[in-house]
Amino acid sequence: MSQRSDLRQRRATLEGEWSRWIPQLRAARRSPAGSGVALRPEVTESWLRSLSSVDPHRDSAPAAEDGSVARRWADSPLRRPVDDLAGELHSIADDAGFVTAVTDESGTILWTCGGRTMRTRAERVNFAPGGRWDEPDMGTNALSLALRTGRPSTVFSAEHLVSALHGWVCYCAPVHAPDGRILGVLDLSTTWDRSHPLAMSTVRSLVTAIESRLAAELPAPRPPAPGAPLRLTCLGVERAERGGVPLPLRPRQLEILTLLALEPDGFTAERLREAVYGDRPVTASTFKAEISHLRRALAGGVTTRRYALTTPVTCDAVEVLAALRRGDTSTALRHYRGPLLPRSEAPGIVEWRAQLEVAVREAVLAGAGPEHALRYGERAPYDAEVHEHALRLLAPDDPRRPIALGRLSTALRD
């Protein structure tokens, strides 16, 4: 068989697979209660990724192969802060009828608590220490989405790929180390009929408490070398370093630093305060305290009165903009690893986030080669125009066509 014929056969086979699963994806966009709510793009994209490795009819999560879950939990940086909060976690799980779980960065459950009835139900699907809940092992679920995106996630009933989980709802948030790494996730799960509107805010509050304890346990950081470069990474993740040493900045200070990096001409106090807080009733002393902390962390580095950076800083978002101005879409996409400060709701950050996304997207759509559209399409499962653009540019026998076709099917709406 010639290579061309082989490619055509592979394409036909893969497109047949998409055709077989797309009706089931569409059917699964309805909740069991008949609410008629469409599945979110990140859920259907996860389904399409998962189908190559996960049987939707499996009955439980696979078990960790090394059998060393107890040792892994004993050595986990999450153990001590979770132990500190164990009483509260047990109380929440018992009172609300939840199972609480903590995983490591691989999605393996290391610790759980909850009432006997709910834990027995959870153990039937191996939602228990040793169960592997990452996407390649268990498909679409809140734990796998939170690990992949670095953001809180809820997965309800038939949004789960595995049908054995259709009776469940899971609320989950990643736990970040002070340097920005994901250490694992905290999850609250229960049966779908017990879903509660405050569950996600509870998870967020608990994760904030865990992350605060992690930061408090850190030894005093070694001071950076004098004149060491400052690096700000704010696309998809949130991290500032000087000479490789993480800077202990709170989220609000990272927002301010990002805005100052993106606008080197600086801000008046009024404009910067509005960009950070919007119309929230925040006192002037609170705003000035955040600026003062940032200035101390930068060893000066921020001018007074009109706020601007006086210390050199490299920033991935600035590098994306510079690459786009040069017409270098490949470099822009290499730096564009995700949305600007994805957890931030500061008005100035939200505005810059949209500007960056639009600028990168337009550069991709103006491109004459499929590589840019395929690469951007990994992060834009909802963008039918990008996937159609990729399909127009791909040759009929290109083995990447099924990828673009699958993404397009995700973006289509009934």
Side-chain angles (χ1 to χ4, degrees):
M1 181 182 294
S2 69
Q3 182 181 23
R4 184 178 297 273
S5 298
D6 181 54
L7 290 173
R8 285 176 177 166
Q9 182 174 346
R10 287 168 58 196
R11 180 168 67 89
T13 300
L14 287 169
E15 290 182 354
E17 281 294 298
W18 295 130
S19 299
R20 181 169 68 89
W21 281 108
I22 285 170
Q24 297 188 44
L25 283 168
R26 294 186 184 278
R29 288 175 179 163
R30 309 297 174 190
S31 75
S35 64
V37 178
L39 287 186
R40 292 160 287 140
E42 63 265 29
V43 172
T44 46
E45 179 78 356
S46 175
W47 273 52
L48 292 169
R49 287 193 304 267
S50 303
L51 287 171
S52 63
S53 61
V54 179
D55 179 2
H57 302 297
R58 71 175 311 151
D59 58 6
S60 63
E65 296 175 357
D66 56 14
S68 61
V69 172
R71 178 174 296 178
R72 288 162 68 177
W73 179 234
D75 295 337
S76 171
L78 297 178
R79 183 186 61 80
R80 189 186 299 274
V82 169
D83 283 350
D84 290 345
L85 295 170
E88 184 175 355
L89 293 169
H90 278 278
S91 177
I92 291 170
D94 291 342
D95 293 347
F98 281 83
V99 174
T100 302
V102 177
T103 79
D104 63 10
E105 72 282 0
S106 74
T108 300
I109 294 178
L110 302 181
W111 181 89
T112 62
C113 72
R116 179 179 299 177
T117 299
M118 291 305 298
R119 288 184 69 180
T120 299
R121 291 181 179 179
E123 287 166 0
R124 291 172 187 161
V125 292
N126 202 19
F127 193 79
R132 300 206 311 261
W133 287 77
D134 59 310
E135 192 173 82
D137 283 312
M138 205 53 182
T140 308
N141 62 83
L143 295 88
S144 67
L145 284 178
L147 285 170
R148 184 178 181 88
T149 66
R151 299 191 298 273
S153 177
T154 301
V155 173
F156 182 84
S157 187
E159 288 184 323
H160 292 94
L161 176 73
V162 174
S163 57
L165 306 178
H166 287 184
W168 290 85
V169 58
C170 302
Y171 306 90
C172 192
V175 182
H176 292 83
D179 63 2
R181 292 177 298 117
I182 294 179
L183 299 176
V185 298
L186 175 69
D187 179 276
L188 292 180
S189 292
T190 189
T191 52
W192 69 265
D193 55 317
R194 288 175 170 262
S195 61
H196 197 286
L198 296 180
M200 180 52 78
S201 62
T202 301
V203 169
R204 289 175 181 264
S205 297
L206 291 168
V207 166
T208 297
I210 291 172
E211 290 178 341
S212 296
R213 283 165 168 77
L214 287 169
E217 291 177 357
L218 282 178
R222 61 183 176 88
L230 175 64
R231 175 66 182 176
L232 173 61
T233 307
C234 52
L235 295 176
V237 297
E238 305 169 1
R239 183 170 63 251
E241 300 173 322
R242 184 185 284 280
V245 179
L247 293 179
L249 298 180
R250 294 191 291 266
R252 194 66 73 194
Q253 292 142 20
L254 276 171
E255 291 169 347
I256 295 171
L257 179 57
T258 299
L259 290 168
L260 295 177
L262 285 166
E263 301 195 35
D265 290 337
F267 290 77
T268 64
E270 180 180 359
R271 181 166 170 260
L272 182 56
R273 182 175 172 179
E274 181 179 349
V276 174
Y277 297 104
D279 57 3
R280 293 177 55 196
V282 175
T283 65
S285 60
T286 297
F287 172 60
K288 290 181 180 179
E290 299 287 13
I291 296 290
S292 296
H293 189 285
L294 178 61
R295 187 178 286 117
R296 286 195 300 272
L298 301 182
V302 180
T303 58
T304 57
R305 298 194 179 187
R306 183 174 182 86
Y307 297 116
L309 290 174
T310 60
T311 186
V313 57
T314 59
C315 173
D316 53 355
V318 174
E319 290 164 344
V320 167
L321 292 171
L324 291 175
R325 293 188 191 100
R326 299 192 304 268
D328 186 354
T329 305
S330 295
T331 297
L333 286 173
R334 187 170 69 251
H335 290 298
Y336 189 74
R337 292 179 293 271
L340 183 73
L341 296 185
R343 297 189 290 178
S344 172
E345 298 178 358
I349 297 296
V350 171
E351 182 178 336
W352 269 108
R353 186 186 298 149
Q355 288 186 36
L356 282 159
E357 181 176 346
V358 169
V360 172
R361 181 180 185 272
E362 289 304 310
V364 167
L365 291 175
E371 289 76 16
H372 294 158
L374 286 169
R375 185 165 183 176
Y376 182 79
E378 293 177 5
R379 299 187 178 92
Y382 54 86
D383 200 327
E385 188 176 358
V386 168
H387 308 320
E388 289 171 345
H389 182 60
L391 284 169
R392 284 194 298 270
L393 297 175
L394 288 164
D397 59 353
D398 194 304
R400 296 171 295 178
R401 283 188 67 86
I403 297 174
L405 178 64
R407 292 171 181 169
L408 180 59
S409 72
T410 301
L412 294 176
R413 290 290 174 266
D414 292 336

